[in-house]
Amino acid sequence: MTAAPRLSRRTMLRGTGALGLAGIAGLAACGRPVDDSTELPQVSGDYDGPPITLQFWNGLTGGDGPVMRTLLQEFTAAHPAIRIEMYAIPWGNFYQKFPAAVVSGLAPDFGLMHNFQVATNAARRVIVPLDPLVDALGLQESDYLPVVWGSGLFQGQRWSLPLDMWPDSLFYNRRVLEQAGLDPDAPPTNRAEYEHALEELRRRDIQGHWLPAIDPQGVGRGFDSLLWQMGGELYDAEGGRALFGEDAGIRALEWQHSLIANGWSPSDVSGSDANVAFKNDQNAFLWGGPGALINDLAKVEDLDWDVAPLPQIGPHRAAFSGSHQFVLMRQREFDPDRVTAVVTFLRWIMANSIGWAKAGPVPARLPILQQPEFAELTAQSHVAEGVEHIRFYPLVPGIAEVQTTILYPAIGDALLGQIAPADALARATEQASFLLEENLTKYREAR
């Protein structure tokens, strides 16, 4: 086994380029971006003032965008005085543009962002704590899973309102399983069953799990799920030390590598390759999030598919999940009418988030999952069977960039045979230590 090369600090900083993190690079040069002494006004009841137009920014540029626009129309029909202009910007651009808008005094009223970006933007103070609005929003801890309730909390304050959860799940092609002599109504639930199914498929010249080795984002979230299933953690509680290179991470990555080594997966495919193969009955299993896959697969005529929670490969049940979360952008001065109108919308959409489930994600509020209408969404309700075991990234500023710029590419390198799994993770752990150290300093100064 080749020893992981050590890197000088200069080489590391030049190599990642990630220290000017997406979405806040411009802010770092400006020092403290805005005066964070402004306070939210007290809000009670629905907005009943003159006509008002709110600005709502998000990254919903895919099939989820039209679903949100439909919900906005339904809201305005119920609240004619409030009009909401939605600006859907690709996520990468969104995380760059909205902080700049806050600095310039042109911030939208509210936005939607990923849970793993909340801590970063809270540390930069470009969003505001929602604690003064908790009662007006009708937030109750009992309405959420503990991991979801806690996902909007950072340094003892609530910074975001969870809309949904989208755990990685097992999408399976029923026709391919049946042709291999496997029960299409009993998808594998554990390692033995999963490997048995893959071997039966291989015996019939079908590579049943197309692992997207050249798609770091897709394969990386599978690694996260497996690491947690193996009993490991990505980082320590403070976000100052990477733990993914320890034994649990090695076992997780070695299992992924075994999919290729055993002939159960091609060696160099992307997520889109796997998706196309699945749609053409050449692939039995996809690991992925419901937000993208449910509506995509539903559009394919005569595709016989279903979805279930991820199989338990390690000693524990776990699955990576993300969440879209509403945030209020910091303003130079808050207008009570505008804040009241935003709260009116947020309260409405949380009560009506069954409509958002049509976009694929599972609503965050547990009472919504008990509604008969949710049971009618077959795929989403099957995904929801596994939500008690979801895991989120830790609430540490800058963690998402460490994942995407350091850990996930290292996983791809190992799966492409360029480096042994243990060496890939050791190298990534060393690289991550530089960025984690810089993050702790950077975000401490920002606060």
Side-chain angles (χ1 to χ4, degrees):
M1 185 176 291
T2 304
R6 297 191 60 83
L7 301 178
S8 69
R9 185 174 183 82
R10 177 177 297 176
T11 300
M12 175 58 207
L13 299 184
R14 182 177 67 245
T16 64
L19 300 178
L21 300 178
I24 52 89
L27 297 181
C30 301
R32 196 170 191 123
V34 288
D35 177 7
D36 67 357
S37 64
T38 53
E39 296 183 357
L40 287 170
Q42 293 295 319
V43 171
S44 62
D46 283 349
Y47 177 74
D48 59 0
I52 193 170
T53 299
L54 305 175
Q55 284 197 3
F56 170 34
W57 287 17
N58 56 59
L60 305 177
T61 58
D64 45 11
V67 177
M68 180 59 74
R69 293 185 188 279
T70 296
L71 290 171
L72 296 179
Q73 293 170 358
E74 293 176 4
F75 169 77
T76 299
H79 301 81
I82 306 175
R83 179 171 174 264
I84 300 177
E85 294 180 343
M86 173 173 142
Y87 295 85
I89 308 165
W91 285 115
N93 294 336
F94 168 79
Y95 289 120
Q96 293 177 341
K97 289 181 180 297
F98 96 80
V102 170
V103 173
S104 66
L106 300 173
D109 295 282
F110 67 107
L112 193 69
M113 68 175 54
H114 299 107
N115 61 297
F116 41 80
Q117 294 286 354
V118 171
T120 300
N121 289 290
R124 285 291 173 183
R125 294 300 195 263
V126 291
I127 58 177
V128 297
L130 303 181
D131 299 85
L133 305 178
V134 165
D135 290 340
L137 289 168
L139 283 179
Q140 298 185 56
E141 186 172 356
S142 60
D143 285 348
Y144 300 86
L145 293 168
V147 67
V148 178
W149 176 258
S151 66
L153 299 174
F154 176 64
Q155 294 187 337
Q157 294 180 296
R158 172 160 296 282
W159 295 84
S160 61
L161 176 62
L163 171 63
D164 58 25
M165 39 191 170
W166 22 280
D168 270 15
S169 303
L170 178 68
F171 290 79
Y172 56 98
N173 186 312
R174 300 179 74 257
R175 185 158 43 238
V176 172
L177 292 180
E178 189 169 26
Q179 290 172 350
L182 299 165
D183 187 349
D185 297 314
T189 62
N190 56 46
R191 179 170 182 166
E193 293 174 358
Y194 198 64
E195 292 182 351
H196 169 74
L198 291 173
E199 183 59 22
E200 289 298 306
L201 290 160
R202 188 195 63 80
R203 290 176 56 225
R204 292 164 173 80
D205 297 323
I206 299 172
Q207 292 175 300
H209 181 146
W210 286 37
L211 190 68
I214 60 175
D215 181 0
Q217 185 78 356
V219 78
R221 290 177 176 178
F223 170 84
D224 296 335
S225 297
L226 290 164
L227 176 142
W228 288 320
Q229 289 192 8
M230 298 296 179
E233 295 292 342
L234 290 164
Y235 307 94
D236 63 7
E238 292 74 31
R241 187 164 64 95
L243 305 177
F244 47 70
E246 297 181 354
D247 182 65
I250 294 171
R251 285 187 284 122
L253 187 50
E254 286 179 343
W255 186 83
Q256 285 186 306
H257 189 269
S258 75
L259 298 175
I260 297 171
N262 290 327
W264 298 333
S265 169
S267 60
D268 56 353
V269 297
S270 67
S272 60
D273 293 332
N275 187 284
V276 170
F278 188 91
K279 292 175 180 177
N280 286 282
D281 296 335
Q282 299 172 328
N283 180 13
F285 301 119
L286 290 175
W287 289 28
L293 283 173
I294 286 178
N295 287 318
D296 181 40
L297 299 179
K299 295 174 184 177
V300 182
E301 187 176 353
D302 197 38
L303 180 63
D304 190 7
W305 66 278
D306 207 338
V307 60
L310 288 184
Q312 182 179 330
I313 305 302
H316 310 278
R317 290 194 64 184
F320 164 88
S321 180
S323 170
H324 293 109
Q325 311 233 342
F326 287 110
V327 295
L328 265 65
M329 310 307 193
R330 185 170 296 282
Q331 310 292 331
R332 291 182 175 174
E333 184 176 351
F334 285 102
D335 180 336
D337 281 350
R338 304 188 74 83
V339 174
T340 302
V342 171
V343 169
T344 301
F345 169 72
L346 294 180
R347 191 166 50 236
W348 178 89
I349 197 169
M350 299 313 295
N352 294 275
S353 56
I354 186 68
W356 177 242
K358 296 175 182 177
V362 175
R365 289 188 66 238
L366 298 178
I368 302 296
L369 307 188
Q370 308 304 319
Q371 295 180 358
E373 296 88 343
F374 184 72
E376 295 173 3
L377 299 171
T378 303
Q380 288 88 332
S381 62
H382 288 178
V383 169
E385 294 172 4
V387 296
E388 291 186 4
H389 305 283
I390 62 175
R391 295 286 303 270
F392 288 164
Y393 293 155
L395 289 166
V396 175
I399 284 296
E401 287 74 19
V402 180
Q403 292 284 114
T404 57
T405 64
I406 295 177
L407 175 57
Y408 290 176
I411 292 168
D413 289 345
L415 296 178
L416 291 172
Q418 298 174 2
I419 186 173
D423 292 342
L425 294 176
R427 183 181 68 184
T429 298
E430 183 178 1
Q431 292 174 338
S433 67
F434 289 105
L435 187 50
L436 291 168
E437 179 185 342
E438 291 290 335
N439 283 347
L440 287 175
T441 302
K442 177 186 301 183
Y443 293 109
R444 188 181 298 116
E445 291 174 349
R447 295 193 295 270

